[in-house]
Amino acid sequence: MISHSSKAPRDGGRREARIRGLGAVLNALVSQSRALTAQASETFSAGLQPAAFHIALWLKSYGPAKPSAVAEAMGMDRSAASRLTRELVRLGLVATLTAPSDRRSIVLSLTADGRRRMELATQAKGAAFRTRVESWSEEDLLLCTDLLRRLLDVPANAGGESR
C-alpha cells in the first residue's frame, strides 16, 4: 500500500517548480526547433511538408535505405511515408533504385539535386543555431551537451565532443 504523507516537501515545492520550469523550456525548444525545421523544409522545396523534409534529412544522415526501414526508423506509418516519398520522387529530390540484394525491392536515396538542396537547407538551419550559441563559452557548450545527453540517455560518445 502506498502511503501519502500530508507533509509538504522539505524544499517548499521548489524542486517541482524547477522541474515544471525545465519542462516549459524544453517545450519552447521543441516549438522553436519545429519552426526552424519548417523554414529549412521551405528552403529545401517550397510548399513541401516538413515530414517529407524529415525523410530527406534521414536519407542524408543515414544513406540509401528501403522505404520500410525509413518509415520504421522515423516512427511513421508506412502509407504516410510512402505518400511523402512519392512527392519527393516527383520533385526529383529522391530517387528509387532497385535494391542490389533483392531485385524485387527498392532503395531510396537523395538525388544530386536533393543533396544540393539539403546542404542549403541545413546550412541555413545551422546558421540560426550558431547565432544563438555564439556567445556561449566552451564550458557552457559542453555543460549543455552533457545535460541533454543525460536527459535523453544518449551515450557520451554519440554525436560529437564531450568533456
Side-chain angles (χ1 to χ4, degrees):
M1 181 174 197
I2 298 174
S3 172
H4 297 281
S5 173
S6 61
K7 287 184 177 179
R10 289 184 190 193
D11 65 5
R14 282 188 313 251
R15 181 170 177 79
E16 185 58 33
R18 288 177 178 153
I19 290 170
R20 283 194 310 273
L22 174 60
V25 170
L26 290 173
N27 283 335
L29 174 67
V30 169
S31 294
Q32 289 183 20
S33 178
R34 285 182 178 151
L36 282 173
T37 298
Q39 289 173 357
S41 177
E42 197 63 26
T43 300
F44 183 64
S45 182
L48 186 69
Q49 291 185 33
F53 175 73
H54 279 285
I55 290 173
L57 186 58
W58 191 93
L59 290 170
K60 175 190 181 278
S61 298
Y62 298 101
K66 291 182 178 181
S68 59
V70 174
E72 183 178 330
M74 297 188 62
M76 277 187 167
D77 176 77
R78 284 187 184 189
S79 62
S82 177
R83 180 180 48 78
L84 295 166
T85 300
R86 280 194 305 274
E87 180 65 7
L88 290 165
V89 169
R90 186 188 70 74
L91 293 169
L93 303 170
V94 167
T96 58
L97 310 165
T98 302
S101 61
D102 179 0
R103 305 301 245 161
R104 297 170 294 167
S105 61
I106 64 166
V107 172
L108 304 172
S109 67
L110 286 175
T111 63
D113 188 36
R115 285 189 302 276
R116 181 185 61 76
R117 290 181 184 209
M118 182 57 68
E119 188 61 33
L120 292 172
T122 55
Q123 281 177 0
K125 190 175 180 183
F129 177 71
R130 281 179 183 78
T131 297
R132 290 175 183 227
V133 298
E134 70 186 348
S135 67
W136 290 23
S137 69
E138 294 293 315
E139 189 65 24
D140 286 347
L141 291 168
L142 290 169
L143 177 61
C144 186
T145 301
D146 287 345
L147 290 172
L148 287 172
R149 281 186 178 131
R150 284 175 48 198
L151 179 67
L152 299 172
D153 197 23
V154 175
N157 61 353
E161 194 175 320
S162 188
R163 290 180 190 259

